[in-house]
Amino acid sequence: LFVLLFLHQWLYHPGTTYGIVSRNADACDKKNDLGAVMPKLDWELERLPSWMVPSFSRIHSQHILINNDNGASITGYAAVADLASGGRNTAFLLDEFSKFLPSAAEHAMSSTEPVSDCRIIVSTPRGATGAYWKAMHEQSDMTKIRLHWSDNPTRNQGLYRVVGGLPMAIDPNNPLPVDYVERWKAGIRDQLIERDYDVLRTTRSPWYDQRCARPRMTPMKVAQEYDIDYVGSVSKVFSPVLLERLRAETVRPELMRGELIFSVEDFYPKFVENPEGRLRIWINFVGKTPCPPSDVQYTIGCDIASGQGGIMSSNSV
């Protein structure tokens, strides 16, 4: 959609300049490879009527498309330090931003900020860390548009939830296929549960079930590519269903919750109660001071992993 938008502006708005940033050069611009972004521009230009196509220059070695008639241009960039630094662009598209290397993502955000008033970030999630996660969750003036598969009329036919152990259509005007409940009981349900999908807690459809059952698909991949689930899109050792059950059965509610506020003079911490605070307390206080038992040893654990999985991951907990 944004490639077409950039091309429309390139055709009709003189002097405008657009940048397309991908995780590497091949993902941005590889001749005759429609898996890359900029060849989609070539594909579209070939199909426009000749009277709509201006005189243009397509320089693959420089990843640039220039409208010779009005001076507009579209340039592709790999996510490297100082990309587009010193230039001026009408808009940038950062494509599949969550898949940039962490340092490259931070560089891309910092180097494009002074160059353009408009940056368009498009991505599926990849964990609850990194530049993309921050951009989506921090308070800012960014307009955020969420496009979920369940809003797509080609994918939400027979949208359902599991009620009483059986699929039940959410909307009577969008029913399940006639035989789907029987097929679900006969094999679909067991196949999904065997792959560790939580069929009870999600909105589903026959299309979604089919995607979950494809070869090599896992709950993590589905969370990443379809569910816009930042936490579920990372590598996990234990099933979310198991963790939720253990939390309900074994975790005692905290006595209080809040934040630590530090004095800038001596960094002495002060606990301030806040129902949305990040620090949860399971010990009593005397006045405003925590009063933990003094006859026991205490251990602090810190999980420093991002949970991304892959060949560079390690047992870092």
Side-chain angles (χ1 to χ4, degrees):
L1 291 175
F2 286 112
V3 165
L4 291 174
L5 174 62
F6 282 9
L7 186 62
H8 181 274
Q9 301 292 97
W10 178 87
L11 285 168
Y12 298 115
H13 293 263
T16 51
T17 56
Y18 299 91
I20 296 174
V21 186
S22 295
R23 64 185 183 277
N24 56 48
D26 282 350
C28 181
D29 188 17
K30 188 177 182 182
K31 193 172 183 179
N32 299 323
D33 182 0
L34 285 174
V37 182
M38 291 198 66
K40 294 176 173 64
L41 295 165
D42 305 329
W43 184 92
E44 184 66 25
L45 282 171
E46 290 172 0
R47 283 155 180 79
L48 289 178
S50 59
W51 57 268
M52 287 182 65
V53 180
S55 167
F56 68 89
S57 301
R58 178 68 163 97
I59 308 172
H60 288 278
S61 61
Q62 299 179 27
H63 313 301
I64 191 169
L65 175 66
I66 302 172
N67 184 330
N68 296 326
D69 291 345
N70 69 9
S73 66
I74 302 174
T75 305
Y77 300 90
V80 296
D82 301 324
L83 70 92
S85 180
R88 290 293 181 268
N89 279 63
T90 308
F92 274 100
L93 170 65
L94 283 72
D95 180 57
E96 286 295 351
F97 189 51
S98 70
K99 297 183 174 62
F100 289 18
L101 291 174
S103 60
E106 294 290 353
H107 286 314
M109 287 297 284
S110 61
S111 63
T112 56
E113 192 280 326
V115 177
S116 178
D117 290 335
C118 177
R119 292 178 296 170
I120 302 161
I121 299 173
V122 178
S123 191
T124 52
R126 197 173 192 179
T129 59
Y132 176 66
W133 184 87
K134 291 177 186 176
M136 293 300 104
H137 289 81
E138 68 184 0
Q139 294 295 322
S140 70
D141 63 354
M142 178 187 289
T143 300
K144 300 169 186 176
I145 302 172
R146 186 176 186 269
L147 298 175
H148 193 260
W149 68 263
S150 61
D151 298 320
N152 186 333
T154 67
R155 300 178 176 186
N156 66 7
Q157 296 299 304
L159 203 65
Y160 74 86
R161 292 188 70 89
V162 175
V163 179
L166 294 175
M168 179 174 291
I170 294 174
D171 183 355
N173 296 318
N174 181 18
L176 284 159
V178 175
D179 62 341
Y180 199 74
V181 173
E182 294 304 318
R183 287 164 50 202
W184 197 82
K185 291 192 297 183
I188 295 173
R189 173 185 57 194
D190 293 342
Q191 186 179 29
L192 294 173
I193 292 175
E194 183 179 333
R195 291 190 176 205
D196 210 20
Y197 291 106
D198 184 2
V199 298
L200 298 179
R201 294 172 61 87
T202 54
T203 300
R204 313 187 66 84
S205 74
W207 174 87
Y208 182 76
D209 288 344
Q210 184 270 332
R211 289 282 160 162
C212 291
R214 298 179 83 185
R216 307 305 300 165
M217 287 302 289
T218 65
M220 184 182 75
K221 291 180 181 178
V222 171
Q224 174 177 306
E225 299 298 335
Y226 297 112
D227 288 338
I228 319 180
D229 182 350
Y230 293 84
V231 176
S233 67
V234 296
S235 183
K236 297 177 181 175
V237 176
F238 300 104
S239 160
V241 180
L242 172 63
L243 294 177
E244 179 63 23
R245 178 174 64 80
L246 291 175
R247 185 199 64 77
E249 293 177 356
T250 66
V251 176
R252 179 163 55 90
E254 66 270 15
L255 297 177
M256 61 183 69
R257 184 171 178 175
E259 292 283 339
L260 285 180
I261 306 300
F262 291 89
S263 164
V264 295
E265 286 81 17
D266 57 13
F267 290 99
Y268 187 80
K270 176 184 177 183
F271 179 76
V272 178
E273 285 197 66
N274 181 345
E276 301 298 324
R278 292 170 292 175
L279 181 60
R280 302 183 185 196
I281 303 293
W282 277 267
I283 56 176
N284 291 313
F285 273 48
V286 176
K288 295 184 178 181
T289 303
C291 185
S294 59
D295 59 344
V296 295
Q297 284 190 323
Y298 292 89
T299 301
I300 294 177
C302 183
D303 181 0
I304 62 170
S306 65
Q308 299 292 332
I311 60 173
M312 297 302 291
S313 62
S314 63
N315 298 322
S316 58
V317 179

